[in-house]
């Protein structure tokens, strides 16, 4: 039994003396009715005293068990001051999110100092490791987890999550699945703290200028093609483009759940009907007269030049505030989808926090994760326009409400679609995708037909895969 500050051996000795006298100093027992009644009253009084005293137990010196927003109470952890380091790899931790995490940590675990190292030159994860400074925590995304295996960074956090009562049922099941799939046996190498989304942004002024109805939720890609034709026009010396997919073929193929090379077979998987559909769809956009991609990026055409009517993109909110101040009259609707894959957009990377295998402060590191995934931090982060991995409808309904420039926008349209289950990609995904993009451009320019483009891409991807495997 843990020690109590008041009710100890002296209380027990005092109780024995009172039993000899037929009473107890904590309660006056009525006398005169019967010894049995007096004894019963004393027993009740003693039980109450013990119960009240034990209610104060369990908080021994040097430990803490502060209530958790995750549900239940956390295990006791040391309260001695400790400093943890956290690296950032391939994600962004902006000042607003860092402030939320630090404030929550200060309130719940003031003994923990968290040093989040921004990945400036000399402070990237690779550079920290090379210098012998392996961080306690890493902020990253699920697609990067497999790259850490050879560096002895991965730790299965399944039992840690149980021990520290991080309730995984609070999270969208797909987010947890998208993390576990980057392990051999379903290990949990990170806890989600955020994710991304895809949406269709549009310039209301361009649609008003040409008297065309705005985009709507639930559109198919063919409907977007038709709408793009109506707003691709030249007005005076200004050429207005109707639509750009934002990243060439990349975000268009993802909702179909396909890859340019197959992780299991180690061979190209591009020469098929699904990839033909992707090539032909993106070509149908770019072949609209006046809608050809130019030297200026699609994002700049939309945000700065204000000559692009619609763009399919991920979270643009960090840039839309200044764009709006500079005259962009924009709104957002649900991302378009394929008829056979309704309400599905592309890969939405799951941002995670992982405790490194070498950390000597595992318990304290888990308290950082509890803070980052707490209800308060997730709610406030949602208000700042970041998608939470939690299932909470309250958190989702608060999305963007803390940013005045988002007021009146159709933000909830974003949640009408879900991301495709994150693919288990090969280590050569980016190289395969580059080859696919190369031959799409050949097809789009008219240099070759779609069949030849897919065949050539298949041949080059297979050659690349053989060369990469030979290096090992």
């Amino acid at each position: 039994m843990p020690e109590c500050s008041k009710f100890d051996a002296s209380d027990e000795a005092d109780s024995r003396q009172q039993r000899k006298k037929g009473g107890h100093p904590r309660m006056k027992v009525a006398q005169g009715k019967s010894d049995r009644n007096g004894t019963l009253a004393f027993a009740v009084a003693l039980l109450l005293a013990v119960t009240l005293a034990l209610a104060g137990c369990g908080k021994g010196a040097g430990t803490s068990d502060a209530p958790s927003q995750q549900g239940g109470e956390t295990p006791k952890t040391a309260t001695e001051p400790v400093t943890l380091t956290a690296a950032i790899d391939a994600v962004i931790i902006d000042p607003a999110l860092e402030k939320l995490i630090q404030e929550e940590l200060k309130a719940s675990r003031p003994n923990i100092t968290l040093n989040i190292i921004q990945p400036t030159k000399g402070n990237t994860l690779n550079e920290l490791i090379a210098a012998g400074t392996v961080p306690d925590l890493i902020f990253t995304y699920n697609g990067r987890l497999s790259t850490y295996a050879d560096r002895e960074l991965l730790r299965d956090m399944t039992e840690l999550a149980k021990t520290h009562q991080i309730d995984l049922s609070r999270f969208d099941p797909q987010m947890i699945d998208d993390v576990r799939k980057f392990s051999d046996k379903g290990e949990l190498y990170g806890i989600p703290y955020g994710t991304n989304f895809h949406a269709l942004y549009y310039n209301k002024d361009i649609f008003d200028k040409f008297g065309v109805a705005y985009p709507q939720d639930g559109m198919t890609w063919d409907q977007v093609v038709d709408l793009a034709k109506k707003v691709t026009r030249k007005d005076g010396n200004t050429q207005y483009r109707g639509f750009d997919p934002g990243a060439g073929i990349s975000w268009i193929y993802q909702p179909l759940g396909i890859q340019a090379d197959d992780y299991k077979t180690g061979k190209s998987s591009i020469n098929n009907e699904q990839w033909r559909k992707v090539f032909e769809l993106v070509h149908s956009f770019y072949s609209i007269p006046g809608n050809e991609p130019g030297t200026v990026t699609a994002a700049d055409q939309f945000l700065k030049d204000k000559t692009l009517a619609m763009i399919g993109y991920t979270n643009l909110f960090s840039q839309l505030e200044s764009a709006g101040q500079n005259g962009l009259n924009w709104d957002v609707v649900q991302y378009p989808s394929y008829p056979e894959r309704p309400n599905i957009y592309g890969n939405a990377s799951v941002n995670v926090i992982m405790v490194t295998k070498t950390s000597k402060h595992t318990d304290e590191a888990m308290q950082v994760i509890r803070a980052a995934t707490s209800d308060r931090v997730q709610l406030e982060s949602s208000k700042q326009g970041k998608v939470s991995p939690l299932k909470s409808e309250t958190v989702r309904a608060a999305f963007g409400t803390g940013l005045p420039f988002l007021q009146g926008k159709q933000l909830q349209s974003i949640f009408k679609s879900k991301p495709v289950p994150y693919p288990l990609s090969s280590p050569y995904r980016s190289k395969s995708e580059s080859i696919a993009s190369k031959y799409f451009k050949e097809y789009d320019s008219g240099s070759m037909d779609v069949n030849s483009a897919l065949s050539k891409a298949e041949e080059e991807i297979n050659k690349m895969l053989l060369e990469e495997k030979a290096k090992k």
Side-chain angles (χ1 to χ4, degrees), residues 50-127:
V50 172
T51 302
L52 291 173
L54 287 177
C57 297
K59 296 185 179 181
T63 64
S64 174
D65 57 353
S68 164
Q69 292 177 300
Q70 309 270 358
E73 292 187 343
T74 63
K76 300 181 185 66
T77 54
T79 56
E80 291 79 8
V82 61
T83 297
L84 304 180
T85 58
I88 300 173
D89 187 36
V91 295
I92 296 174
I93 302 297
D94 61 26
L97 179 57
E98 179 173 355
K99 181 180 179 183
L100 287 173
I101 296 173
Q102 296 285 15
E103 287 177 345
E104 181 67 20
L105 197 59
K106 183 177 180 180
S108 61
R109 301 290 170 178
N111 63 303
I112 299 175
T113 298
L114 177 63
N115 181 20
I116 298 179
I117 304 172
Q118 291 293 333
T120 55
K121 185 176 181 180
N123 286 321
T124 66
L125 176 61
N126 289 338
E127 289 169 328

Side-chain angles (χ1 to χ4, degrees), residues 137-152:
L137 298 134
I138 300 174
F139 289 84
T140 187
Y141 75 96
N142 58 332
R144 297 284 286 182
L145 293 175
S146 58
T147 68
Y148 302 146
D150 295 338
R151 289 183 279 179
E152 295 294 315

Side-chain angles (χ1 to χ4, degrees), residues 394-406:
T394 300
V395 171
R396 177 170 295 181
F399 182 76
T401 57
L403 299 175
F405 76 93
L406 294 181

Side-chain angles (χ1 to χ4, degrees), residues 203 205 303-304 306 320-330:
N203 184 323
D205 287 344
L303 295 164
K304 298 178 181 179
K306 297 183 281 294
L320 281 167
E321 182 173 16
S322 60
Q325 292 170 350
N326 291 325
L328 178 63
N329 184 16
W330 67 277

Side-chain angles (χ1 to χ4, degrees), residues 168-173 388-396:
L168 298 182
S169 69
R170 296 168 61 239
F171 296 81
D172 182 333
S388 171
L390 302 186
K391 293 187 296 186
S392 169
E393 289 299 327
T394 300
V395 171
R396 177 170 295 181

Side-chain angles (χ1 to χ4, degrees), residues 329-363:
N329 184 16
W330 67 277
D331 210 335
V332 61
V333 292
Q334 181 184 11
Y335 197 74
S337 57
Y338 293 97
E340 68 273 27
R341 305 276 287 183
N343 306 318
I344 296 293
Y345 54 74
N347 305 344
S349 300
V350 183
N351 295 339
V352 300
I353 312 176
M354 52 176 284
V355 180
T356 58
K357 187 175 182 179
T358 56
S359 175
K360 294 181 173 59
H361 304 290
T362 305
D363 291 336

Side-chain angles (χ1 to χ4, degrees), residues 129-391:
I129 293 173
T133 308
V134 180
D136 298 286
L137 298 134
I138 300 174
F139 289 84
T140 187
Y141 75 96
N142 58 332
R144 297 284 286 182
L145 293 175
S146 58
T147 68
Y148 302 146
D150 295 338
R151 289 183 279 179
E152 295 294 315
L153 293 174
L154 296 177
R155 177 197 295 268
D156 184 8
M157 297 169 60
T158 303
E159 290 304 317
L160 284 174
K162 292 178 182 178
T163 300
H164 291 270
Q165 297 186 17
I166 294 180
D167 184 3
L168 298 182
S169 69
R170 296 168 61 239
F171 296 81
D172 182 333
Q174 184 174 321
M175 299 295 103
I176 299 297
D177 289 344
D178 282 353
V179 176
R180 288 193 186 277
K181 68 175 53 177
F182 287 92
S183 63
D184 294 329
K185 300 177 182 178
E187 295 93 340
L188 187 68
Y189 292 139
I191 304 292
Y193 70 89
T195 186
N196 211 334
F197 64 86
H198 291 241
L200 180 67
Y201 303 86
Y202 64 97
N203 184 323
K204 297 171 73 173
D205 287 344
I206 294 177
F207 283 87
D208 292 341
K209 175 187 284 288
F210 299 126
V212 178
Y214 298 149
Q216 301 292 319
D217 293 335
M219 291 193 302
T220 65
W221 284 116
D222 287 343
Q223 289 173 321
V224 176
V225 172
D226 292 339
L227 190 56
K229 291 176 180 178
K230 296 177 182 179
V231 286
T232 300
R233 302 190 190 181
K234 191 167 186 177
D235 184 57
N237 293 322
T238 302
Q239 176 65 57
Y240 292 96
R241 296 184 63 213
F243 173 75
D244 194 283
I249 62 174
S250 295
W251 294 333
I252 302 300
Y253 84 75
Q254 291 176 3
L256 295 173
I258 57 178
Q259 298 285 297
D261 67 286
D262 188 281
Y263 178 78
K264 295 180 180 179
T265 65
K267 296 181 179 180
S268 170
S269 55
I270 196 172
N271 196 1
N272 53 54
E273 287 301 315
Q274 286 184 306
W275 272 100
R276 180 194 305 275
K277 177 184 293 188
V278 171
F279 273 38
E280 291 178 342
L281 175 58
V282 179
H283 176 66
S284 70
F285 287 119
Y286 290 161
S287 61
I288 298 172
N291 195 52
E292 304 87 355
T295 56
V296 179
T297 66
D300 281 348
Q301 287 178 345
F302 183 78
L303 295 164
K304 298 178 181 179
D305 298 343
K306 297 183 281 294
T307 57
L308 179 59
M310 298 180 288
I311 185 171
Y313 221 83
T314 53
N315 194 333
L316 279 173
F317 294 159
S318 63
Q319 301 173 70
L320 281 167
E321 182 173 16
S322 60
Q325 292 170 350
N326 291 325
L328 178 63
N329 184 16
W330 67 277
D331 210 335
V332 61
V333 292
Q334 181 184 11
Y335 197 74
S337 57
Y338 293 97
E340 68 273 27
R341 305 276 287 183
N343 306 318
I344 296 293
Y345 54 74
N347 305 344
S349 300
V350 183
N351 295 339
V352 300
I353 312 176
M354 52 176 284
V355 180
T356 58
K357 187 175 182 179
T358 56
S359 175
K360 294 181 173 59
H361 304 290
T362 305
D363 291 336
E364 291 81 2
M366 292 302 295
Q367 295 311 307
V368 172
I369 293 177
R370 282 180 64 88
T373 59
S374 67
D375 293 341
R376 190 188 78 83
V377 168
Q378 289 296 310
L379 179 64
E380 293 302 317
S381 184
S382 178
K383 290 178 181 179
Q384 296 299 313
K386 299 180 179 68
V387 178
S388 171
L390 302 186
K391 293 187 296 186

